[in-house]
Amino acid sequence: MKFISFAVAAVATTFSAVSARPVLRRANSCAFPWVANNTDNVVPITPSAKNAGWAMSPDQECAPGSWCPYACAPGYYSAQWDPSATLYNGPGSMNGGLYCDANGVLSKPFADRAYCVPSMMNAYIENSLSHSVSACQTVYPGNEAMIIPSVAQANSNVSLNIVPNTYWLGVSSQFYVNLAGSNATQCVWGNDDKPVGNWAPYIFGGGQGPDGNTYISVQFNPLYTAKGYKVSDAYSVRIQCESGFCNFPAGGECKCEGGKCSVDNGCTVTLTGDAKAKWVLY
Ligand SMILES: *[C@@H]1O[C@H](CO)[C@@H](O)[C@H](O)[C@H]1NC(C)=O
Ligand SMILES: *[C@@H]1O[C@H](CO)[C@@H](O)[C@H](O)[C@H]1NC(C)=O
Ligand SMILES: *[C@@H]1O[C@H](CO)[C@@H](O)[C@H](O)[C@H]1NC(C)=O
């Protein structure tokens, strides 16, 4: 296993947060090297909490000797992780992002890849509601908390990060989709006294399969219903083909409307080849 460290010169130009302080000092944690609105498309998560922007729990630091995941803008995925991971549910499943070494120096495992790479760009949310809605992607590899935001503003579209089959160990993307009126603030794990984050009404999924087709899905979140929140209080969602050939379940539709899904437990649509589709919120 070989890691290539950041060149110091590159750090100075790309990472203004780092260039302000000595790079090679011994540290208790690795500083988050990006500012908001950076050209790498990295999105800081709760930058004023202890995680300092890393896609980690708000009370968790990027500690020396650990991996520190970061979030990417809607439609982009993090292309850095521990190259030695071989089991998606085994040791190493938390090892996304950059490595913070014993001296508090970051290294980028795949030097030839960008930090954030455009995903399949073949599926997006079309929000026809008059309030914004946040789709919160889980960090994986990472702690699997739903903290990576893609916010669909009222009457607007937002791309979702649908990963190609070359993504980490072939896993797909999962999004906890909040009620109308939500924004990035609701992309938190939360607790069951609010229908937010882990208790959001919907789960959307997507990813490219080994066959090259893309699979996207919608379902009610079992934790939302188990807690007694009403599916009829949530907006409706239907998956609609935009271009190319999309293969729908029997009955020719995939939607959850008025608290009932067209297929029990939700449904999946296959986007064959370069087909494109959207989740319409209405
Ligand atoms: C810059 O980032 C901040 C914080 O994430 C955000 O509120 C703002 O809209 C961004 N500005 C631009 C021009 O993208
Ligand atoms: C959302 O995307 C669809 C399809 O490309 C387009 O027709 C529509 O105008 C978009 N909506 C907005 C608000 O951009
Ligand atoms: C996001 O939602 C929170 C909680 O509802 C609200 O306080 C905040 O103003 C919203 N932020 C934006 C940018 O709309």
Side-chain angles (χ1 to χ4, degrees):
M1 178 167 49
K2 181 166 169 285
F3 296 123
I4 317 250
S5 292
F6 290 132
V8 172
V11 168
T13 51
T14 318
F15 303 105
S16 44
V18 167
S19 60
R21 58 178 77 186
V23 173
L24 289 173
R25 86 196 155 93
R26 219 179 165 82
N28 298 326
S29 64
C30 279
F32 186 71
W34 288 279
V35 294
N37 309 319
N38 58 79
T39 53
D40 288 324
N41 288 308
V42 173
V43 174
I45 303 296
T46 56
S48 48
K50 215 169 170 188
N51 65 307
W54 297 104
M56 294 164 45
S57 302
D59 62 351
Q60 198 186 2
E61 289 184 324
C62 174
S66 70
W67 286 85
C68 302
Y70 54 87
C72 295
Y76 289 75
Y77 65 94
S78 164
Q80 301 293 332
W81 56 75
D82 179 356
S84 73
T86 53
L87 262 180
Y88 62 83
N89 57 357
S93 69
M94 305 270 285
N95 296 357
L98 307 184
Y99 187 67
C100 176
D101 76 11
N103 296 317
V105 177
L106 291 169
S107 54
K108 184 186 187 193
F110 299 103
D112 57 336
R113 296 186 191 161
Y115 295 99
C116 294
V117 171
S119 65
M120 299 297 292
M121 296 297 191
N122 56 1
Y124 65 95
I125 291 177
E126 182 176 282
N127 180 10
S128 70
L129 307 169
S130 52
H131 294 100
S132 64
V133 170
S134 53
C136 311
Q137 196 188 349
T138 57
V139 186
Y140 196 42
N143 63 6
E144 295 192 59
M146 50 298 293
I147 57 177
I148 305 175
S150 298
V151 179
Q153 301 298 339
N155 299 303
S156 300
N157 299 332
V158 69
S159 276
L160 290 190
N161 161 25
I162 305 301
V163 287
N165 56 18
T166 51
Y167 184 63
W168 183 75
L169 305 181
V171 303
S172 56
S173 302
Q174 199 172 30
F175 303 84
Y176 285 74
V177 188
N178 285 313
L179 290 168
S182 54
N183 61 38
T185 313
Q186 282 80 36
C187 285
V188 290
W189 190 285
N191 50 56
D192 68 5
D193 64 2
K194 287 199 193 81
V196 158
N198 200 44
W199 289 269
Y202 283 109
I203 299 175
F204 294 179
Q208 185 188 35
D211 60 3
N213 295 329
T214 295
Y215 297 83
I216 67 171
S217 65
V218 56
Q219 66 172 106
F220 282 115
N221 178 3
L223 292 177
Y224 176 87
T225 47
K227 178 62 192 173
Y229 296 120
K230 292 204 191 71
V231 284
S232 53
D233 288 347
Y235 48 82
S236 299
V237 178
R238 73 165 178 275
I239 294 178
Q240 191 175 320
C241 202
E242 267 282 291
S243 63
F245 179 69
C246 304
N247 200 6
F248 283 82
E253 58 182 7
C254 177
K255 67 178 184 183
C256 297
E257 191 177 76
K260 193 178 181 318
C261 296
S262 53
V263 178
D264 286 347
N265 304 319
C267 44
T268 299
V269 172
T270 307
L271 317 188
T272 64
D274 58 4
K276 290 186 165 60
K278 58 191 177 186
W279 288 266
V280 181
L281 315 187
Y282 59 104

